Amino acid sequence: RTERVSVNNQEKKTPHGVQSPSQRPKSGNRFERRDSVTRKNDAGKHSSVAPAPSAPLPGDAPRLNKSVAQSGFCSRRKADELIFAGRVSVNGICEKNPSKRLNPGDRLEVDGTILDWEGRGTCYLMLNKPIHTVCTVSDPEGRRTVVDLLPQPYRQYRLFPVGRLDYFSEGLLLLTNDGDLANHLMHPRYHLPKMYEVIVRGSVSEEAIQTMQNGMTLRDGTVLQPVSVQPLPSLPVMSAATTLLMTLYQGINRQIRRMCEELDLVILGLVRISQGPLLLGP
């Protein structure tokens, strides 16, 4: 049995009885999505029609600290420091609120340098850093930097290195202008492992390996977390050397070199082969 129901002040048959528009139950799911409107075309089939785009809400505008970081100028944490120090301005006015929302077309500056926070996208590069190269954007001593190694098209992105490899070390280095990712890879609370192949002169005693695996306290008082150390088979041409696979979870400056120095181990070569989920290619 079918009854009639009023829809938009008109009657319509329904198998559930008669209901007025005001009596219709409302959806109890406040997260119900209405991303498309279903209509019937001339052939009687249903088709989806995308809704008209809505204007962005004020809360969707990017925050000041995130905009500085995404411009490639620095990390999010460093952006906060610059803002609190009064070195960031918006449209010529000093702004010390990291959560300030920017509007399209706003002029963003750090120490008078205009940042392109809108038009430039994020970029990620994995670099096999050679020795005799510094991990900085510029060097006051005029030495070659990792940015000097980049092809010209990539320099417009204002990339910066994530973490450090010292002047005589080589291997995997990530360059990006994504401050959030850089913070995630470098911050100690995430405990992302970094793996190195370390070549040392001569043999390495089991006692030295156990010392590194148990954690060390350096002579200057720096406390080091345990390090995974695994000896690797050496090539015949390197019979007078030992290759160690070392995995670190701590971001101490020059940690491997300082450990080996205190254990009287001479490093002949140091290569980073992984950083978090990133692996150095062949």
Side-chain angles (χ1 to χ4, degrees), residues 221-277:
T222 302
V223 178
L224 302 180
Q225 297 176 1
V227 174
S228 173
V229 183
Q230 178 185 354
L232 298 178
S234 298
L235 299 175
V237 295
M238 300 183 61
S239 57
T242 302
T243 301
L244 302 174
L245 183 65
M246 304 178 66
T247 304
L248 278 60
Y249 296 87
Q250 202 173 6
I252 301 299
N253 185 37
R254 303 181 73 252
Q255 178 174 345
I256 293 178
R257 295 190 182 275
R258 294 165 68 184
M259 291 167 55
C260 289
E261 181 180 354
E262 297 210 4
L263 294 172
D264 295 324
L265 299 175
V266 178
I267 294 179
L268 303 178
L270 194 158
V271 183
R272 181 158 62 196
I273 61 176
S274 75
Q275 183 177 4

Side-chain angles (χ1 to χ4, degrees), residues 76-282:
R76 178 81 71 90
R77 177 185 293 182
K78 183 63 177 179
D80 287 335
E81 295 176 2
L82 295 174
I83 294 168
F84 290 135
R87 297 169 58 184
V88 179
S89 64
V90 179
N91 298 325
I93 301 175
C94 178
E95 180 58 62
K96 293 188 177 183
N97 179 12
S99 298
K100 175 182 173 59
R101 302 284 183 172
L102 297 184
N103 297 314
D106 280 348
R107 189 176 78 258
L108 178 59
E109 298 177 72
V110 176
D111 295 334
T113 300
I114 300 178
L115 306 185
D116 182 6
W117 63 276
E118 292 182 284
R120 188 183 296 113
T122 52
C123 181
Y124 311 87
L125 291 181
M126 293 173 61
L127 173 69
N128 187 356
K129 174 197 168 301
I131 61 174
H132 301 152
T133 308
V134 292
C135 288
T136 57
V137 175
S138 62
D139 182 63
E141 299 180 24
R143 295 172 296 180
R144 180 175 63 174
T145 73
V146 291
V147 175
D148 294 331
L149 302 176
L150 300 181
Q152 190 62 39
Y154 290 104
R155 300 189 184 185
Q156 63 173 319
Y157 289 95
R158 298 181 64 90
L159 304 180
F160 57 88
V162 179
R164 293 288 185 266
L165 278 174
D166 65 45
Y167 189 67
F168 295 104
S169 299
E170 56 186 313
L172 174 64
L173 182 69
L174 175 68
L175 293 102
T176 185
N177 55 3
D178 187 338
D180 290 337
L181 176 66
N183 180 64
H184 188 90
L185 289 174
M186 291 188 295
H187 200 283
R189 72 171 175 265
Y190 296 112
H191 301 293
L192 294 178
K194 296 183 286 292
M195 190 177 297
Y196 301 80
E197 284 186 359
V198 185
I199 303 173
V200 298
R201 179 180 297 163
S203 60
V204 180
S205 67
E206 185 64 29
E207 180 183 0
I209 293 177
Q210 286 297 324
T211 298
M212 291 185 283
Q213 290 180 336
N214 293 335
M216 297 176 57
T217 299
L218 302 179
R219 296 188 185 99
D220 61 5
T222 302
V223 178
L224 302 180
Q225 297 176 1
V227 174
S228 173
V229 183
Q230 178 185 354
L232 298 178
S234 298
L235 299 175
V237 295
M238 300 183 61
S239 57
T242 302
T243 301
L244 302 174
L245 183 65
M246 304 178 66
T247 304
L248 278 60
Y249 296 87
Q250 202 173 6
I252 301 299
N253 185 37
R254 303 181 73 252
Q255 178 174 345
I256 293 178
R257 295 190 182 275
R258 294 165 68 184
M259 291 167 55
C260 289
E261 181 180 354
E262 297 210 4
L263 294 172
D264 295 324
L265 299 175
V266 178
I267 294 179
L268 303 178
L270 194 158
V271 183
R272 181 158 62 196
I273 61 176
S274 75
Q275 183 177 4
L278 306 177
L279 299 175
L280 185 67

Side-chain angles (χ1 to χ4, degrees), residues 22-75:
S22 61
Q23 293 174 327
R24 293 180 200 162
K26 296 182 180 179
S27 172
N29 182 6
R30 64 190 182 93
F31 297 105
E32 180 182 2
R33 297 192 59 178
R34 293 181 174 84
D35 293 334
S36 62
V37 180
T38 303
R39 298 178 181 174
K40 283 188 177 182
N41 57 21
D42 294 339
K45 297 181 180 180
H46 288 86
S47 62
S48 295
V49 179
S54 58
L57 299 175
D60 294 335
R63 290 184 173 88
L64 179 59
N65 56 358
K66 184 175 182 179
S67 299
V68 173
Q70 287 189 342
S71 72
F73 189 85
C74 60
S75 66

